[in-house]
């Protein structure tokens, strides 16, 4: 970590630091000119909402903070007016409000979830600050304080959005497009290795692709507020992400098919030559429809003829051919979508895309985990509040306030323990310079210009490190510690006793309590959450197989890929089981998509006398069980083979190959160690 702090600042980092300084200066100047009671809250708001990524994310974060503050202000007034004489009940209601906000913020995966975060910690910030000053409590004081908080935060919002959006704005549009192009190059390289018979020894390529695509999907929620031309191509960008997502299970399936055929020495030379041609075609930047059609013709030419006695190797080849056809179509669609993005950016697009991108609401939501973490927040904040009330520690109101802020901000994340340790460390680091500013420098400043000149080195240096992903959290916490200390000047508490009692002991105690309780409540997280996410994929497959209506393939794939990306950071703690878990994840991803493909052919198969409903019910029951007995597995295998045999007897070739491909994929992924399918032993009685 020390190496990251010793790096020479870049021009972009210096620019961001100066923009942070300008935003803080503007916010403080306006707050002072308006005569607000706590003007230093305004620059602290600019520090919290500033982001180095883009003007778009600053707008979303700033607007979320303003809305959250307004909601929190209203709730604070209502709670104070109704329960000001019932301290214990009031503390519990504060904790309950924070828990409710945490619950909804964990379910809201996009940046605007910050509304719930800010709305959650605004209530304890306002209420604890007021009841900490017992002598000043009255209805008028409550109203004035609440309105002042909203005004100060609003000024910080306006200052941050104005500076970061107008002064050399850094946009996320070009970065998002560039990152998607990089992901596509990586996918092309992955495809090339697979088609040439050189698969990766690990699942890193597909796992990395899943994580990056999901990150881009969440990041694209900010694009409509971006100042770049890419904001006009939001729909096309999200459609491109959908195309990249749906490729992952197809490529993974192709890899398995080639490996199985080569292991059995059943991959004909014709197909090896064709795979080389497809690899070259995929890696070319510009491909014509004629070249894609030529490849499709070659695939059809190499297909084995399906008969009632077709072997496992033949149906596996059909499965490979089906996946190759999908891959070619997806590559064409991706190229068309990429050209549409360029046309939108240049202003040449004349109409909106016909397809509708997968909504972000489709992404995974773990309501049970959110409820558990929210309940732990209620317990923790209530416990710390009771410690403060029972102890009679007047300046200790900062402790439950800090616990609320940091528990809400960090415990909702997976790396909460490491993050809270860093928060505690940089809070301690901020105390010496904060004390110098509060007790010495601010008494030496006799004008606004002199004050900002004294604050400039701290703001600019911290801003440089805030612009770096590796040091951004620590620098932000450090700067928040400095700004929160300067607010003591507004309260006429700029003395050593108040500083040591309130900022040093109470603030550090509050962060420490958040860390202690987070370690208690989230110690289960890695193994327990991994198991829950794995079970959620199996449960979704069970629900899919029971669906009356066939769900869209893209939505199913997006949701499963999202779960895989959530699981990815937790897999490092599984040790030797990591690769087995990843294999299971992608195996069930392929099973889920093949079930959906099969369901889309249900009506066509029924017209040919093949009812797949018994098979779907058997698969649903299989995945709904927490433990699968051997006998149950044999039943599923027999059902799949019986259905596959019926499909091979279809008189109409329409959809026959697609159904064979889906059934073959389900069988191979569900029973990789089972003996190969052998049709002669499973001819149904009605066909004999």
């Amino acid at each position: 970590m020390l190496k990251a702090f010793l790096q020479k600042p870049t021009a972009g980092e210096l620019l961001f630091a100066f923009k942070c300084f300008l935003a803080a200066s503007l916010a403080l100047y306006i707050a002072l000119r308006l005569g607000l009671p706590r003007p230093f809250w305004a620059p602290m708001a600019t520090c919290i909402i500033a982001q180095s990524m883009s003007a778009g994310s600053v707008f979303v974060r700033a607007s979320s903070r303003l809305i959250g503050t307004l909601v929190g202000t209203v709730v604070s007034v209502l709670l104070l007016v109704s329960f000001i004489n019932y301290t214990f009940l009031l503390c519990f209601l504060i904790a309950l409000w924070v828990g409710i906000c945490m619950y909804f913020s964990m379910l809201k995966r996009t940046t605007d979830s910050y509304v719930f975060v800010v709305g959650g910690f605004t209530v304890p910030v306002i209420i604890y600050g007021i009841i900490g000053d017992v002598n000043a409590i009255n209805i008028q004081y409550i109203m004035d304080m609440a309105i002042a908080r909203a005004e100060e935060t609003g000024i910080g919002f306006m200052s941050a959005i104005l500076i970061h959006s107008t002064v050399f704005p850094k946009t996320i549009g070009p970065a998002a497009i560039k990152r998607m192009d990089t992901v596509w190059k990586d996918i092309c390289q992955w495809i090339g290795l697979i088609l040439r018979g050189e698969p990766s020894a690990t699942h890193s390529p597909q796992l990395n692709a899943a994580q990056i695509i999901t990150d881009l999907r969440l990041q694209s929620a900010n694009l409509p507020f971006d100042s770049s031309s890419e904001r006009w191509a939001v729909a096309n960008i999200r459609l491109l992400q959908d195309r990249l997502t749906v490729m992952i299970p197809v490529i993974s399936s192709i890899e398995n098919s080639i490996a199985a055929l080569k292991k059995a020495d059943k991959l004909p030379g014709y197909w090896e030559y064709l795979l080389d041609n497809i690899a070259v075609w995929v890696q070319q930047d510009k491909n014509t429809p004629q070249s894609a059609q030529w490849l499709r013709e070659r695939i059809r030419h190499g297909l084995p003829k399906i008969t009632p006695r077709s072997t496992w190797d033949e149906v596996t080849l059909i499965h490979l051919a089906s996946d190759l056809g999908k891959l070619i179509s997806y590559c064409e669609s991706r190229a068309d979508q990429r050209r549409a993005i360029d046309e939108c950016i240049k202003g040449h697009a004349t109409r909106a895309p016909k397809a509708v991108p997968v909504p972000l609401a489709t992404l995974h939501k773990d309501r049970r985990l959110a409820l558990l973490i929210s309940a732990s927040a209620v317990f923790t904040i209530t416990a710390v509040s009771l410690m403060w009330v029972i102890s009679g520690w007047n300046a200790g109101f900062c402790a439950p306030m800090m616990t609320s802020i940091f528990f809400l901000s960090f415990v909702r994340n997976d790396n909460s323990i490491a993050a809270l340790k860093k928060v505690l460390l940089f809070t301690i680091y901020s105390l010496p310079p904060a004390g110098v500013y509060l007790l010495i420098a601010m008494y030496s400043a006799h004008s606004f210009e002199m004050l900002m000149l004294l604050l400039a080195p701290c703001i600019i240096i911290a801003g440089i490190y805030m612009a770096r992903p590796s040091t951004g959290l620590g620098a932000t916490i450090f700067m928040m510690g400095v700004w929160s200390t300067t607010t003591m000047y507004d309260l006429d508490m700029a003395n050593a006793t108040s500083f040591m009692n309130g900022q040093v002991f109470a603030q550090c105690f509050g962060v420490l309590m958040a860390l202690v309780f987070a370690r208690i409540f989230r110690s289960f997280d890695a193994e327990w959450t991994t198991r829950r996410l794995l079970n959620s994929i199996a449960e979704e497959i069970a629900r899919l197989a029971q669906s009356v209506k066939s769900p869209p393939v893209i939505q199913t794939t997006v949701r499963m890929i999202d779960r895989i990306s959530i699981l990815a950071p937790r897999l490092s703690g599984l040790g030797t089981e990591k690769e087995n878990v990843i294999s299971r994840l992608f195996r069930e991803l392929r099973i889920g998509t093949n079930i959906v493909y099969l369901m889309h052919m249900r009506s066509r198969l029924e017209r040919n006398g093949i009812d797949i409903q018994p098979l779907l019910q058997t698969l649903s029951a299989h995945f709904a069980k927490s433990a699968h007995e051997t006998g149950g597995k044999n039943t599923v295998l027999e059902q799949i083979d019986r259905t596959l045999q019926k499909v091979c007897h279809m008189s109409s070739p329409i959809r026959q190959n697609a159904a064979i491909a889906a059934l073959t994929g389900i069988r191979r992924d569900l029973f990789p160690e089972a003996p190969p399918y052998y049709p002669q032993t499973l001819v149904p009685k009605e066909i004999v």
Side-chain angles (χ1 to χ4, degrees), residues 498-509:
S498 299
F499 173 71
M500 293 297 296
N501 198 17
Q503 289 299 111
V504 177
F505 294 116
Q507 184 171 329
C508 291
F509 179 75

Side-chain angles (χ1 to χ4, degrees), residues 445-459:
H446 301 291
S447 65
F448 173 77
E449 293 80 6
M450 179 60 70
L451 176 62
M452 295 312 301
L453 185 63
L454 292 172
L455 289 169
C458 183
I459 298 173

Side-chain angles (χ1 to χ4, degrees), residues 14 391 447:
L14 286 171
S391 67
S447 65

